[in-house]
Amino acid sequence: LSLSLSLSLSLRAHSPGEETGMNAGSPGAASSWAWLTATRTDMPDRRFKKAGWSRRSPPKKALPLQQILPNIYGLRRDEDVEEFLFKNRNRVSMINFGSSWCTHCHEIFPHMIKLTERFTSIAYAVGQLDFLSQASEGVEYSPTFAIYRGDKKVDQFWGTDKRKLHDHVWLWNEKERSETMIVNH
């Protein structure tokens, strides 16, 4: 502040016609130092455009789905979610949207593994919320379980209630439900 104030005072002390050490006798001597005292109103009227990246991005290589357990796939990209749903388009699939830092996700995961072994007609996956942008739209809590028939979301619930998870998986597991109904009739 004191530097700009002293420069401002020294510039005002010399009139444009006076002889100074720099640019002495030139008609615009004071104006050449005007940038030091510029205010926000002296800024240009239009904004500059950001320069775009001049190189085209390299094509993304299609990576195979990562199978993390015999019945569970890991999804880290939106393309993985699309591929998982396309691969299982003729059956019901369930995606557990969670994060590696989520303690509730770690708490419910062993129960989910047991359900995958019992209810085998559903395709299961774990989606990493930290890496998914489009596929995780509508997910507000972690863990959130989304159930799909083909590529359409038909059910969604959240939390660590083991009974609720079991009931939803039982409800959408067509094979187990049909066997239970036949036995009960």
Side-chain angles (χ1 to χ4, degrees), residues 14-149:
H14 298 288
S15 65
E18 289 183 4
E19 294 289 325
T20 58
M22 293 186 177
N23 296 332
S26 64
S31 64
S32 65
W33 291 93
W35 63 274
L36 289 172
T37 59
T39 61
R40 295 292 282 162
T41 58
D42 296 334
M43 301 302 276
D45 292 337
R46 64 183 180 93
R47 294 187 167 255
F48 295 103
K49 289 183 180 179
K50 284 188 174 181
W53 184 250
S54 62
R55 296 184 190 174
R56 290 178 38 200
S57 59
K60 293 184 179 179
K61 295 179 181 176
L63 299 173
L65 285 175
Q66 298 296 314
Q67 190 166 1
I68 56 176
L69 287 172
N71 301 331
I72 303 175
Y73 288 91
L75 310 175
R76 295 190 84 179
R77 301 177 304 143
D78 289 323
E79 294 84 12
D80 291 344
V81 175
E82 291 173 9
E83 183 180 347
F84 174 75
L85 293 176
F86 180 77
K87 182 179 178 182
N88 298 296
R89 65 187 174 276
N90 296 329
R91 58 194 275 201
V92 174
S93 55
M94 183 178 87
I95 300 176
N96 173 5
F97 290 102
S99 296
S100 58
W101 48 264
C102 174
T103 57
H104 299 291
C105 300
H106 292 278
E107 181 182 319
I108 196 73
F109 193 68
H111 186 67
M112 183 183 157
I113 292 172
K114 289 179 187 174
L115 291 176
T116 64
E117 294 167 355
R118 180 173 173 197
F119 301 103
T120 57
S121 70
I122 297 177
Y124 299 93
V126 177
Q128 287 284 333
L129 281 174
D130 301 328
F131 301 102
L132 300 173
S133 59
Q134 294 174 349
S136 63
E137 288 178 5
V139 175
E140 296 180 17
Y141 303 101
S142 180
T144 294
F145 298 91
I147 298 180
Y148 296 85
R149 184 182 298 253

